[in-house]
Amino acid sequence: AQTVTQSQPEMSVQEAETVTLSCTYDTSESDYYLFWYKQPPSRQMILVIRQEAYKQQNATENRFSVNFQKAAKSFSLKISDSQLGDAAMYFCAYRRAQGAQKLVFGQGTRLTINP
Amino acid sequence: ETGVTQSPTHLIKTRGQQVTLRCSSQSGHNTVSWYQQALGQGPQFIFQYYREEENGRGNFPPRFSGLQFPNYSSELNVNALELDDSALYLCASSWRTGASTEAFFGQGTRLTVV
């Protein structure tokens, strides 16, 4: 079975600075997708960034980028120029490329932005 | 806003009762997944429906059941409620093509069992 581990229950960063959230996963599959989701107090899961395992290039979306290390099964999220609106729970998630589109989530990291 | 709506937003039920949660998927999406998120935890996959048929199930007992309708909306039914069923229930819809697709989530239903 696939598992996703986020070892940082809480992180904090000063506004405008950079923070990195860690995620490791375990799978025997070679083809899969990895995601970072943001869950603000409104509870709705919002997709931040997605990485296809077959792509070596790290995904980037504006201030958000990932460091995908396939051999190490590591998938960290870097947030640059942190803004107050970035404060939320962040979840790392895994999905197989084939079969049911089941997302396997980590336990989450609560990110606090200090003004 | 994702276009995925869930109802009700909050619900209080008594242990042993039955509950039905509803989800309207985003227009054009044919796949709906349900997740249970206990307080302080990541969401756990309950099951998925594709074209009105169950298409994958997580480690949940049979008293968790679902339906998907021809318009791709969905229901989650839980029988014989237990205190541990108290959680946020999330619905996600997507378009299943076999390629990478994004799942869009609703705001969830907060279920409290007393």
Side-chain angles (χ1 to χ4, degrees):
Chain A
Q2 296 86 17
T3 59
V4 176
T5 302
Q6 293 178 248
S7 59
Q8 305 156 314
E10 296 185 358
M11 292 282 286
S12 64
V13 64
Q14 290 297 125
E15 192 176 2
E17 294 191 345
T18 296
V19 64
T20 299
L21 309 184
S22 301
C23 172
T24 58
Y25 60 95
D26 188 26
T27 183
S28 58
E29 306 275 339
S30 59
D31 196 12
Y32 50 87
Y33 305 105
L34 295 166
F35 306 85
W36 278 98
Y37 280 91
K38 170 184 177 181
Q39 188 178 39
S42 67
R43 311 182 318 202
Q44 189 166 36
M45 286 282 190
I46 301 165
L47 180 65
V48 174
I49 198 163
R50 176 178 67 197
Q51 175 78 43
E52 291 87 346
Y54 64 86
K55 290 185 177 179
Q56 292 188 339
Q57 187 172 6
N58 290 322
T60 298
E61 289 286 343
N62 300 315
R63 299 182 294 108
F64 300 88
S65 61
V66 299
N67 183 3
F68 173 49
Q69 301 289 328
K70 190 172 184 179
K73 296 181 182 175
S74 170
F75 182 61
S76 62
L77 173 70
K78 185 171 82 170
I79 306 174
S80 303
D81 186 25
S82 298
Q83 300 176 0
L84 295 177
D86 295 334
M89 285 292 292
Y90 284 82
F91 292 95
C92 178
Y94 165 100
R95 179 168 78 79
R96 295 175 61 197
Q98 303 298 326
Q101 295 177 348
K102 163 189 172 182
L103 287 164
V104 179
F105 287 88
Q107 306 93 316
T109 297
R110 180 175 301 282
L111 178 64
T112 301
I113 312 295
N114 300 313
Chain B
E1 294 297 321
T2 63
V4 180
T5 58
Q6 292 186 242
S7 62
T9 55
H10 297 84
L11 199 54
I12 300 175
K13 288 287 191 177
T14 302
R15 189 171 50 182
Q17 286 188 316
Q18 178 266 343
V19 69
T20 297
L21 309 182
R22 295 178 174 82
C23 172
S24 293
S25 58
Q26 182 159 312
S27 178
H29 285 181
N30 59 8
T31 302
V32 175
S33 303
W34 287 91
Y35 293 83
Q36 180 195 67
Q37 186 178 14
L39 196 61
Q41 302 293 319
Q44 299 288 318
F45 177 75
I46 302 175
F47 44 57
Q48 180 179 95
Y49 278 82
Y50 169 62
R51 290 187 175 178
E52 303 177 56
E53 301 223 349
E54 189 177 292
N55 181 49
R57 188 178 184 92
N59 189 25
F60 281 81
R63 59 189 186 81
F64 284 79
S65 62
L67 283 173
Q68 186 182 32
F69 300 100
N71 66 354
Y72 301 131
S73 65
S74 177
E75 286 182 355
L76 164 65
N77 299 291
V78 187
N79 293 321
L81 283 166
E82 300 176 0
L83 297 179
D84 284 349
D85 295 334
S86 295
L88 178 68
Y89 289 84
L90 295 167
C91 164
S93 76
S94 57
W95 174 251
R96 179 176 175 167
T97 65
S100 170
T101 60
E102 178 181 345
F104 292 86
F105 284 82
Q107 302 103 312
T109 294
R110 172 75 65 191
L111 173 65
T112 302
V113 182
V114 297

